[in-house]
Amino acid sequence: MQPDKELREQILELIPQQAPFRFVDEILEVDGDRIVGTYRFKEDEFFYPGHFPGAPITPGVILIETMAQTGAVGHGIYLMMQKGMSLDDIKSQVTVFSLADQVEFFTMVAPGTRVIVTGEKVFYRRGALRSSVTMAGEDGNLICRGTLTGTGVRLHG
């Protein structure tokens, strides 16, 4: 059974990255093994004027960050909720990268493109989530993929 819209919106609200560095618009699906989210790269994103002037494309590091925010952070928040972690405990943590492995890029992403990110849990233990993550366009064509690991760390105290 798919979590209701209210739970998916709550997970989205708990993702600590905020504008202009939030790259998740919506969580479509989530369960213990998988998450699917979307993001549309706006025409006026802060990085386009410099990457590249007159011919903007989305930087690869931003694509990895986009995959991580859904596939590691959003999914990790869901898994913490399922383990009974309080919302205050979840809010006191951020997820930091501990591994970005075998990341491959297949095509460029232009301003205005809507992407679909799918993360599949490889393992979740001791606060670390390793996920196999893919990003595709709305047409289903693969943009990039990789294995990402995020670990929750406390922000304060």
Side-chain angles (χ1 to χ4, degrees):
M1 184 172 124
Q2 201 47 234
D4 64 22
K5 184 175 181 172
E6 184 177 319
L7 176 60
R8 289 181 281 128
E9 287 176 357
Q10 185 177 32
I11 294 165
L12 190 61
E13 288 172 17
L14 288 167
I15 294 174
Q17 290 87 346
Q18 297 296 309
F21 213 72
R22 162 70 70 83
F23 303 112
V24 185
D25 290 328
E26 184 179 15
I27 295 173
L28 302 176
E29 303 172 23
V30 64
D31 63 30
D33 294 316
R34 183 173 187 259
I35 188 167
V36 179
T38 68
Y39 184 71
R40 181 173 305 278
F41 286 98
K42 296 175 269 324
E43 304 274 340
D44 64 351
E45 299 281 5
F46 70 92
F47 42 80
Y48 286 136
H51 198 270
F52 295 95
I57 61 168
T58 309
V61 295
I62 298 293
L63 298 178
I64 293 171
E65 179 68 23
T66 303
M67 290 193 306
Q69 286 183 17
T70 295
V73 179
H75 201 197
I77 288 168
Y78 174 80
L79 294 171
M80 287 186 276
M81 293 169 91
Q82 296 306 298
K83 285 193 169 272
M85 201 172 202
S86 76
L87 293 182
D88 286 338
D89 281 344
I90 293 170
K91 288 178 186 177
S92 74
Q93 294 189 32
V94 294
T95 301
V96 297
F97 271 130
S98 55
L99 176 71
D101 193 28
Q102 297 179 348
V103 176
E104 298 177 276
F105 301 94
F106 303 100
T107 190
M108 293 181 278
V109 174
T113 301
R114 182 173 180 256
V115 297
I116 296 128
V117 176
T118 303
E120 296 188 6
K121 179 179 73 178
V122 175
F123 69 72
Y124 176 64
R125 61 179 175 256
R126 295 189 302 272
L129 172 62
R130 179 164 297 163
S131 190
S132 175
V133 187
T134 61
M135 177 186 291
E138 288 184 293
D139 59 5
N141 287 330
L142 189 62
I143 294 168
C144 56
R145 68 177 171 215
T147 301
L148 307 176
T149 304
T151 303
V153 295
R154 294 218 176 274
L155 283 176
H156 310 287

